[in-house]
Amino acid sequence: MPSTLLFVNAAQVAACTGPVRQTPDADPAAVQSGAAVAVRDGRIAAVGAEADLLREFADAERVDCAGGVLTPGFVDSHTHAVFGRYRTEEYALRCTGVPYMEIARRGSGINASVRDLRARSEDELVQMALPRLNEMLRCGTTTAEVKSGYGLSTADELKTLRAIRRLNDLQPIELIPTFLGGHEVPPEFKNDRAAYVDLLVNEMVPAVAEAGLARFCDVFMEPGVFDRAETERILRAGLEHGLRPKLHADELEGSGGAELGAELGAASVDHLGDISEAGIAAVAGSSTVATLLPATLFFLGRPRWAPGRALIDAGATVALATDFNPGSSPTPSMHFVLTAACSRMGFSPHEALRAATAGGAAALELGDGRGTLAPGAPADLVLWRAQSAGEIPYRLAAPIIEGVWKAGERVI
């Protein structure tokens, strides 16, 4: 790999810097025409006028963008990409009008994936995840969070997290691991949920932390899953063991998850399909990132969409992610997520692009410039066959990615 690359002849360079509430002229550096990008030793060396960078980096190997658009790689900050089989039979039921929670009550849903994952070896999980991660890479994702949560026993949660760690060394996407033992109450604890919370707090969280297998601890706080007191207890146990909190919050019904996340200083509160006005204010007044997952709402056929516009206007930091999983969002496409955010959640194209890059990095507390093309940031780039950054969500998941670079190395 050459030590220095110079990306030239781009119609636009979208650096994804500046505030979340982004219009094309809000930050002159956020979207530039006539600009080039220099990469040295795997990091962004400079972004500026092409004529200036051609002189400054005269010996660099040139990458001709052929009039396309250059953006940072997507930072997909909420996925469940390590699992066994897809749950296609549930989709057929939902198409006939059976609600998601009713499917779960019948023994399908998350617990179907739990039964499936428990029967598989760590090696099998790794091999099944590799092609999915390649799909994500081809969709422009260069960094992704991956959660456990389909094991729901100490051994199977550790197995999943070990698989995630191995996958980090086997493919280009950088994976950020999250422990999600609080995804559901497993069948064997159906009549004693307090005992499962005790297991999470007293055994699972310490084991995960001791093994160094996760950066975050997440809980699905939702009526019928974990209530506020249970969620807070699990997340505080995670904090005591060095695991930063995240929440699945206010997805299908409002339950005060956003408020709890802000109170705990969570890295992010995710879903927010039924967040309250008080929840919006709480998140906007905190450092907690609001992560929205429009592909999930679309796939489940939900009539309401998360209030992206209201969150942005309130001053919240907002991220967009796929929620890639086998039941409620079986898509790796951040490109589709951009379109859904613009068409149904009130984002502008530039806001959506920033939320899917720099916003995702904020939700994962990555402070290295990830998700931007700012000098010093990792050189994770996507080249699009488009004439403007605004054209990317407009093209509705069309196959217009020309190339993907991870740390300055071309991987697609």
Side-chain angles (χ1 to χ4, degrees):
M1 182 177 66
S3 61
T4 307
L5 299 173
L6 186 62
F7 291 79
V8 298
N9 194 23
Q12 285 188 340
V13 172
C16 295
T17 55
V20 175
R21 188 170 184 174
Q22 188 64 65
T23 57
D25 57 354
D27 177 2
V31 180
Q32 301 180 47
S33 298
V37 176
V39 170
R40 177 176 287 154
D41 298 328
R43 293 193 171 270
I44 304 297
V47 180
E50 185 170 300
D52 294 341
L53 267 59
L54 283 169
R55 288 190 295 270
E56 184 177 353
F57 298 92
D59 296 331
E61 178 179 322
R62 296 181 189 178
V63 179
D64 186 358
C65 295
V69 174
L70 205 59
T71 72
F74 289 129
V75 180
D76 190 346
S77 60
H78 185 128
T79 88
H80 307 254
V82 173
F83 56 87
R85 65 176 182 86
Y86 286 99
R87 305 199 308 261
T88 54
E89 71 285 352
E90 292 181 18
Y91 184 57
L93 283 174
R94 283 204 303 277
C95 289
T96 66
V98 181
Y100 177 82
M101 293 304 288
E102 173 60 26
I103 290 171
R105 280 189 286 268
R106 296 180 185 183
S108 294
I110 291 168
N111 274 319
S113 288
V114 171
R115 292 190 297 271
D116 180 65
L117 183 138
R118 287 178 173 181
R120 299 184 189 275
S121 69
E122 182 181 317
D123 287 344
E124 189 175 6
L125 292 176
V126 169
Q127 291 306 310
M128 295 182 80
L130 281 170
R132 296 180 194 134
L133 293 170
N134 186 57
E135 289 178 1
M136 293 172 67
L137 188 67
R138 290 184 174 278
C139 290
T141 294
T142 52
T143 300
E145 184 248 29
V146 182
K147 303 177 189 292
S148 65
Y150 294 128
L152 306 189
S153 71
T154 303
D156 291 300
E157 287 294 296
L158 292 173
K159 174 178 70 177
T160 305
L161 291 166
R162 287 194 303 268
I164 295 168
R165 182 167 62 184
R166 288 172 58 185
L167 286 160
N168 239 334
D169 297 327
L170 295 174
Q171 49 77 53
I173 300 176
E174 183 172 348
L175 306 179
I176 309 299
T178 291
F179 168 61
L180 182 58
H183 200 188
E184 176 63 280
V185 177
E188 64 268 26
F189 287 93
K190 181 179 180 181
N191 298 317
D192 194 359
R193 59 187 299 116
Y196 184 63
V197 175
D198 287 343
L199 180 69
L200 280 165
V201 169
N202 298 324
E203 182 176 307
M204 285 197 204
V205 166
V208 169
E210 183 179 357
L213 288 171
R215 186 177 299 183
F216 299 100
C217 178
D218 195 350
V219 179
F220 189 3
M221 180 176 165
E222 185 81 16
V225 191
F226 292 95
D227 64 25
R228 179 186 171 109
E230 293 165 336
T231 299
E232 184 171 357
R233 185 180 172 210
I234 297 163
L235 294 178
R236 288 196 182 280
L239 277 167
E240 289 172 5
H241 287 84
L243 302 178
R244 295 282 297 127
K246 282 180 169 285
L247 282 84
H248 284 54
D250 305 317
E251 178 183 0
L252 305 175
E253 297 181 43
S255 59
E259 293 92 321
L260 176 61
E263 179 184 320
L264 294 176
S268 69
V269 287
D270 301 17
H271 283 291
L272 308 182
D274 201 28
I275 187 174
S276 66
E277 292 293 330
I280 293 173
V283 174
S286 74
S287 62
T288 297
V289 176
T291 300
L292 308 184
L293 310 169
T296 309
L297 296 168
F298 170 83
F299 195 71
L300 292 178
R302 300 290 293 178
R304 293 180 59 186
W305 292 70
R309 182 76 264 147
L311 282 158
I312 293 171
D313 289 346
T317 299
V318 180
L320 290 169
T322 62
D323 193 20
F324 183 26
N325 74 74
S328 61
S329 185
T331 179
S333 177
M334 287 290 280
H335 190 183
F336 171 76
V337 166
L338 293 185
T339 305
C342 292
S343 294
R344 302 304 299 269
M345 291 182 172
F347 284 70
S348 75
H350 294 276
E351 289 166 342
L353 182 59
R354 192 192 181 285
T357 52
L364 296 176
E365 299 183 331
L366 300 173
D368 59 359
R370 195 83 51 98
T372 75
L373 300 184
D380 301 345
L381 303 101
V382 180
L383 177 60
W384 301 82
R385 292 189 298 274
Q387 295 180 338
S388 70
E391 187 180 333
I392 295 170
Y394 169 78
R395 291 297 304 277
L396 187 55
I400 57 172
I401 289 180
E402 180 65 30
V404 179
W405 286 258
K406 178 65 179 176
E409 180 178 0
R410 187 163 189 164
V411 290
I412 295 294

